[in-house]
Amino acid sequence: MDESGGSAQPRPGNNGAPDDTPREQSPSPEQLPTEPAAPTAATPGPDAHDPSTPQPPATGDADTPPDKQPAPPSAPPHSNGPTTPEHSATPTRTPAHSGQGRPPQRPKDPGGGILMGRPFGVPVYVAPSWFLVAALITWVFGGQLDRVLPELGAARYLVSLFFAVAFYASVLVHELAHTVAALRFKLPVRRIQLQFFGGASEIEKEAETPGREFVLAFVGPLLSLVLAAIFYLALQPVEPGTVPGVLLAGLMVSNLIVAAFNLLPGLPLDGGRMLRAVVWKITGRPMSGTIAAAWVGRALAIAVLIGLPLLTQSGALGSTAEDNVGMDTVTDALLAAILAAIIWTGAGNSLRMARLREHLPELRARTLTRRAVPVQTDTPLSEALRRANEVGARALVVVDAHGRPLSLVREAAIVGVPEHRRPWVPVSGLAQDLTDGMRVSAELAGEDLLDALRATPATEYLVVEETGEIYGVLSAADVERAFVKAMARPTA
């Protein structure tokens, strides 16, 4: 909103007059409450806490300024499997066209563990779960070193810990390959996270073409193959049966496994994204590619669950059947179950996310906005409610003497005031001061709308036209209800 001009009078349709623009109505009453009622609460979707699924904007705490509220979960990653990135599909933020308003700024620190650095400007985090995996690798590899280099004694665990760190450094290179490709295609990357069973590169927007999608997925396994070749060449002059020889051989084999596993043609693996790109190119529909690659991914999950223990028992992976009994059998079955669950869940999340992206354009700020009436700061709450209910409005905008918007009256604060006290309570005492991030354009829709609201968590937002005129008030709860509806709607 341009602070130096712009009318405080709502546009037609926001003051009770007929409005030609359809608005999606929430289950709450058409009028602002005249009796105390429970505050409007956000309605989480089926996957509201699932990090692999797009999240609606968080409904900010009514008593906390927006700049002090915690940022909601980031946009949905597309998992690429246990040792590869998760590509998030949330687009870059679109600034609200609000006159003088500046583009909302995303929190500088997305979090996710211990910050290790910012290569290419992208923060790299080590999740707490990594330490569990590092300890497991140290223990397992240490046992193997005891058979190959028994003279090491207890020092074998220091060598195996070095291997665990070097292996995850290789995983980081894999992730950086995805990151560099994404940045090359002008796709913002939120963070890289090293975690249980691999890494995650959270890319905030999908590739625009199947060709770019294919390249973005392929560069990770390609870099793993390159690393395997480098370790192979470094191994040639090294004497076998030494600590450097064992480490280089282990890193070569592990990178080959990473590359081969992630080239399997099923989501959420890199090979699945490559298959998705191919089907997308053939059919012209990204959704068709997602469906095909997701079902292949589910088939792969079943194959891993059944096939990995059978391969181990048969000795096809380099050990004899006599060795694969007891605890080893349980370990193999547990590992197979974990991998299968990761692949199956990732494939399902990819399907849900693709379905959501098809329906997200239906979320439009203009249709979700509530009618609003402007009131002066000293207006009693009872009088403000009377004016709003008289014209069928469901929101209050506090304006100054020149009609410029100052703050938004919080619905949760209204319902907390007993009716007998409302004539004595000015609306300014129930309002939240407007910040630039709380002004959003009436033209925002879909992921752009969700991203703008996620940038500044609040309960209500002022919706303005591109000219700076007030259009109405957008409730985060209304957006979340529409988000859940979009999630539940079947794909055509």
Side-chain angles (χ1 to χ4, degrees), residues 45-47 53-54 352 355-356 359 482-490:
D47 299 296
T53 306
R352 285 193 294 273
R355 181 181 69 229
L356 175 61
H359 293 303
F483 180 93
V484 172
K485 234 188 256 186
M487 283 288 292
R489 193 173 301 128

Side-chain angles (χ1 to χ4, degrees), residues 303-350:
V304 168
L305 180 63
I306 299 173
L308 184 58
L310 291 179
L311 284 174
T312 305
Q313 288 297 311
S314 67
L317 297 182
S319 58
T320 62
E322 290 78 8
D323 295 333
N324 298 313
V325 293
M327 195 63 186
D328 287 344
T329 302
V330 175
T331 302
D332 293 337
L334 180 61
L335 176 62
I338 293 174
L339 289 176
I342 290 173
I343 297 173
W344 183 279
T345 303
N349 287 340
S350 297

Side-chain angles (χ1 to χ4, degrees), residues 152-231:
L152 287 177
R156 67 182 183 273
Y157 291 110
L158 290 177
V159 176
S160 58
L161 177 60
F162 178 83
F163 171 78
V165 174
F167 170 68
Y168 266 84
S170 300
V171 173
L172 176 58
V173 172
H174 180 115
E175 302 301 330
L176 287 173
H178 291 289
T179 295
V180 171
L183 296 176
R184 176 68 178 80
F185 294 144
K186 310 298 184 184
L187 304 177
V189 182
R190 185 168 184 260
R191 67 177 177 180
I192 296 174
Q193 187 183 50
L194 299 180
Q195 55 190 1
F196 187 78
F197 270 110
S201 298
E202 296 186 10
I203 301 172
E204 296 191 355
K205 189 177 181 181
E206 270 209 332
E208 298 176 353
T209 66
R212 291 186 174 187
E213 171 83 350
F214 188 93
V215 171
L216 190 59
F218 180 61
V219 290
L222 177 62
L223 257 292
S224 293
L225 289 173
V226 170
L227 285 177
I230 292 174
F231 289 127

